[in-house]
Amino acid sequence: MRSIRAFVAASSAICLVPAQSVPYGACIVSQTANVAPSQGLWQVTRAGTATRILGLTAAGSLGIGVSSLRMDPIDDRVWLGGSNSGGNTASQLNWIRVTGTTVSQFSQVVTIPFVPAAAINAIDFDDNGNLLVCGATGVTSGGVYRVARDGSAVGLIAAIGTTELHNAMCRDAAGNLYVGMLGNGSVHVMVKNPDGSFQAPVLLTTVPNVNIYGLTAVPGLGATPEDIWITSGDAAGTVDQIHRVPLTGGVPVLLPDTMTVCNWVEYDRRADDVLVCLPVGDSVRRIDRTTLVDTQVASFAGGVNVGTPNYIDANDDPDNAVRVLPSRLNGSVGPFTLELGTTAPPGRLAIIALTQPTLLVLGAGITGVDGRFWLKLPNLTLVGGPLAPGSLAFASASIDLASGGIAVGAPVAWPAN
């Protein structure tokens, strides 16, 4: 019961915030080499629209180029990787909030210690929602860095090679981390340890082209198990290829496509297809996982006054699946901020609750245009010592206010360890 008393004591500090940033089912795209009025960000929908997101510099950014981005796993922030093209944001890890198609808030969190300053080429998250970022080369203090979720600490966790650029990164369903290099076509895997840390990188595969541009983990389909999809190009930047390789590694398999030069590749969980950013043609295309046929999703202003699209992230979290951060306590009793988030179609009543060892509703609210609802319990301390793994469970549900239909997600045991 000590854990229940801790939650009740903290309940007055619960923050209920409606999220706003990326519409439900839509995508956000970054770009460099911007041409006014573009400022490095676009909103792309499955209806085929591509709309500039403006106001980045007005909100506080020193530049308009964005080399990478990721939607936060809990709240309405979008994390941005700074660029050495289009302004003074190289090495910066920043976040924004977007209202409609305008940046409404900007925060510079940390500067990654690349020497000299360089672009942050990829962003992901560890089990506790800390940022994983990569960029630069081994001889310029580059590698994979972990940034504490609150920005309080930055640490190098791996550097691969010497002169190759750390250029792409993704995680699989088990949480293992994959890093793609620009310069030798290699992809390395960093196996996740039980405490959430990562083992040293091990070569997974090497593609024929020397430059890795994007990586994404794609679930199994039929007889094909979960694998990693890889976009790559030759040294001249004129030939693209898309490969897939099993999580166990081996020889990459070339996939057919009609695209010219590809940048980032991203699996969309809600649509169950794979999205690709095209810097030549200025568009986003989708690849059907069954037929492997690619078709256009949207074009960026017909290629006029655009820049170079380079990274894409979709608002594709499954409905009614609660996320809990930190997921791993590793014996800690706090204080820490417990964050919980869920997704449901816009306009539904979303509910997040503690379900084990007793039922306690922690918060409820109407989902906004992005379908997200989240809450945070700051400065939480577990009374009486560490919790055993799975001592508590959380779940989320949503109610369709028009029909009265209720959808309940599976409970998540917490902490993971």
Side-chain angles (χ1 to χ4, degrees):
M1 293 298 293
R2 66 176 185 271
S3 55
I4 299 301
R5 288 196 298 270
F7 278 104
V8 172
S11 62
S12 62
I14 293 176
C15 303
L16 305 179
V17 183
Q20 297 291 328
S21 287
V22 180
Y24 181 87
C27 306
I28 186 167
V29 177
S30 68
Q31 64 179 32
T32 55
N34 305 281
V35 180
S38 296
Q39 294 190 4
L41 297 167
W42 289 76
Q43 183 186 102
V44 173
T45 73
R46 289 287 177 152
T49 63
T51 307
R52 292 180 180 92
I53 298 174
L54 302 178
L56 183 59
T57 53
S61 175
L62 295 176
I64 57 177
V66 180
S67 286
S68 56
L69 52 76
R70 279 289 176 197
M71 296 174 59
D72 191 86
I74 293 289
D75 59 39
D76 58 341
R77 291 176 293 177
V78 179
W79 294 83
L80 306 182
S83 171
N84 52 10
S85 170
N88 303 313
T89 63
S91 301
Q92 291 182 14
L93 178 64
N94 310 313
W95 60 254
I96 60 170
R97 287 188 166 95
V98 179
T99 301
T101 55
T102 302
V103 176
S104 53
Q105 189 175 358
F106 172 90
S107 177
Q108 182 180 339
V109 181
V110 296
T111 299
I112 306 301
F114 301 143
V115 181
I120 294 176
N121 295 320
I123 301 174
D124 217 307
F125 301 90
D126 70 8
D127 283 359
N128 283 353
N130 300 310
L131 281 295
L132 301 170
V133 303
C134 73
T137 68
V139 295
T140 57
S141 303
V144 179
Y145 283 80
R146 189 196 311 265
V147 179
R149 187 161 172 78
D150 61 1
S152 61
V154 179
L156 178 68
I157 61 174
I160 301 170
T162 54
T163 60
E164 299 80 26
L165 191 70
H166 300 78
N167 203 46
M169 193 167 57
C170 73
R171 295 184 72 193
D172 64 19
N176 303 309
L177 184 66
Y178 299 81
V179 184
M181 308 300 289
L182 189 146
N184 63 6
S186 64
V187 178
H188 302 256
V189 59
M190 298 171 63
V191 174
K192 188 184 76 174
N193 294 315
D195 66 355
S197 64
F198 297 98
Q199 297 178 20
V202 175
L203 180 66
L204 178 78
T205 193
T206 301
V207 298
N209 287 327
V210 296
N211 295 331
I212 303 293
Y213 295 131
L215 300 174
T216 192
V218 179
L221 180 67
T224 303
E226 181 182 9
D227 53 14
I228 301 297
W229 287 35
I230 307 162
T231 51
S232 65
D234 64 354
T238 57
V239 176
D240 96 286
Q241 290 181 327
I242 302 176
H243 292 85
R244 66 194 311 169
V245 64
L247 303 185
T248 52
V251 178
V253 176
L254 180 65
L255 300 181
D257 73 86
T258 64
M259 294 172 272
T260 50
V261 180
C262 301
N263 262 339
W264 196 255
V265 59
E266 184 75 9
Y267 174 67
D268 187 321
R269 284 169 289 197
R270 187 170 291 125
D272 192 29
D273 59 12
V274 177
L275 301 172
V276 184
C277 268
L278 272 66
V280 176
D282 296 317
S283 62
V284 172
R285 297 183 73 84
R286 66 174 294 271
I287 302 175
D288 185 285
R289 291 218 292 140
T290 301
T291 65
L292 299 181
V293 172
D294 61 276
T295 54
Q296 182 166 291
V297 175
S299 172
F300 298 98
V304 179
N305 295 336
V306 177
T308 303
N310 56 17
Y311 210 101
I312 185 168
D313 193 18
N315 185 349
D316 61 350
D317 281 352
D319 292 342
N320 307 301
V322 69
R323 291 198 181 200
V324 187
L325 298 178
S327 68
R328 299 180 181 276
L329 295 182
N330 293 316
S332 172
V333 297
F336 57 87
T337 296
L338 185 67
E339 303 180 61
L340 301 104
T342 190
T343 299
R348 296 198 179 182
L349 176 63
I351 302 166
I352 296 177
L354 174 74
T355 59
Q356 178 186 311
T358 190
L359 180 62
L360 177 64
V361 174
L362 299 176
I366 304 299
T367 54
V369 294
D370 61 357
R372 287 187 159 204
F373 173 74
W374 52 275
L375 56 88
K376 302 185 181 184
L377 288 77
N379 300 316
L380 183 65
T381 298
L382 301 175
V383 179
L387 286 175
S391 295
L392 307 179
F394 300 94
S396 66
S398 63
I399 301 175
D400 186 329
L401 298 178
S403 68
I406 301 175
V408 180
V412 172
W414 183 84
N417 68 350

